[in-house]
Amino acid sequence: MDNTNKNQNTSAEQKTIEYYNSKAEEFYESTVNADMSDQYYLFEKYLGDGAHILDCGCGSGRDSKHFLENGFKVTAIDGSEELCKKASELTVLEVKHMYFQDLNFDNDFDGVWACASLLHVEKDRLPDVLKKITRALKGGGVLYASFKYGDFSGERNGRFFTDLDDKSFETLIADIPELVLKEKYISTDVRPGRENDRWLNAIVIKRKELGHKSRC
């Protein structure tokens, strides 16, 4: 990525990327073995065999690896160059170094998996990113997204977070007519020692009748 693209990030978002670049090994080790089976089931039940998934902010590559092993086609991206390297090693995919605001796919994916990734986007920039994800999805495609549950927005532990609760997430989705909220639930963190952290998990479907006609 050149400096022009990097300058499109806010200072808070860029600081978060720098955090992951500097702590890539530590983050990888703390997340790569996390049990995401409940979340996988929630997402995969809406997908057909061999569906093409965009892993949007793939981190360690854990989820991309799971999808590949279960017969899905995967395109993986992340904003951290160092995590792209780690994920590429794990999955043997060519993980793309890409920022959310640079998403330029059009009607390409049956599913978008955004696990604990969109939460690093500032709240007023989330609608634009979601519109780009909507455009990337085929009609009838499914988006899984997860956020820390709450209403906090700001820096926490060296990274920027946008937390969402039921109401704020529903409001966010309601502003994009192509999207329909299908289901959501609250879970606890699956990593040891973080059982008190709560997560909002949501499944959103792109309306079939709009399909590729969406221009966001």
Side-chain angles (χ1 to χ4, degrees):
M1 290 280 173
D2 59 27
N3 289 332
T4 301
N5 283 337
K6 288 186 178 181
N7 289 336
Q8 292 177 6
N9 293 303
T10 67
S11 59
E13 291 165 353
Q14 189 60 37
K15 185 174 182 180
T16 299
I17 291 166
E18 291 167 359
Y19 172 95
Y20 283 115
N21 281 333
S22 66
K23 297 182 180 293
E25 182 65 33
E26 178 183 336
F27 178 78
Y28 176 90
E29 293 296 337
S30 69
T31 59
V32 71
N33 294 315
D35 180 5
M36 299 293 293
S37 53
D38 289 346
Q39 288 78 11
Y40 294 148
Y41 173 75
L42 181 71
F43 180 59
E44 290 173 6
K45 68 184 182 180
Y46 291 95
L47 296 172
D49 293 343
H52 191 182
I53 297 169
L54 173 64
D55 191 349
C56 199
C58 67
S60 67
R62 173 199 64 210
D63 303 330
S64 287
K65 182 174 183 287
H66 165 84
F67 295 135
L68 288 168
E69 290 173 345
N70 284 272
F72 297 106
K73 180 180 178 182
V74 178
T75 297
I77 67 168
D78 202 275
S80 162
E81 290 178 289
E82 294 303 315
L83 284 177
C84 286
K85 294 175 186 176
K86 300 294 293 183
S88 294
E89 291 170 4
L90 182 68
T91 63
V92 199
L93 284 172
E94 184 180 344
V95 176
K96 298 180 180 181
H97 179 220
M98 181 181 286
Y99 303 126
F100 296 137
Q101 67 267 20
D102 296 326
L103 289 168
N104 58 359
F105 303 104
D106 188 356
N107 198 43
D108 289 322
F109 300 102
D110 303 291
V112 173
W113 175 265
C115 180
S117 58
L118 298 179
L119 49 69
H120 292 312
V121 179
E122 292 188 6
K123 193 170 185 178
D124 62 350
R125 289 158 63 89
L126 269 173
D128 182 60
V129 172
L130 276 174
K131 287 173 184 177
K132 292 178 184 297
I133 288 174
T134 302
R135 182 173 180 174
L137 281 168
K138 298 176 183 178
V142 56
L143 164 67
Y144 165 83
S146 61
F147 292 82
K148 284 184 177 288
Y149 191 86
D151 58 6
F152 174 82
S153 180
E155 186 176 324
R156 181 169 55 211
N157 300 326
R159 292 163 290 173
F160 180 86
F161 285 90
T162 294
D163 298 351
L164 296 180
D165 57 20
D166 297 75
K167 183 177 180 180
S168 56
F169 185 80
E170 289 172 13
T171 299
L172 180 65
I173 297 302
D175 285 339
I176 303 175
E178 296 93 336
L179 297 181
V180 177
L181 178 58
K182 192 72 174 179
E183 58 179 304
K184 57 183 171 59
Y185 77 100
I186 309 303
S187 64
T188 56
D189 203 304
V190 297
R191 292 169 293 179
R194 301 196 182 189
E195 293 82 3
N196 291 329
D197 292 348
R198 295 197 300 163
W199 289 84
L200 174 67
N201 304 266
I203 289 291
V204 180
I205 304 293
K206 180 176 178 178
R207 298 178 191 272
K208 286 185 178 180
E209 62 269 26
L210 292 173
H212 68 279
K213 295 179 182 179
S214 168
R215 287 294 179 268
C216 304

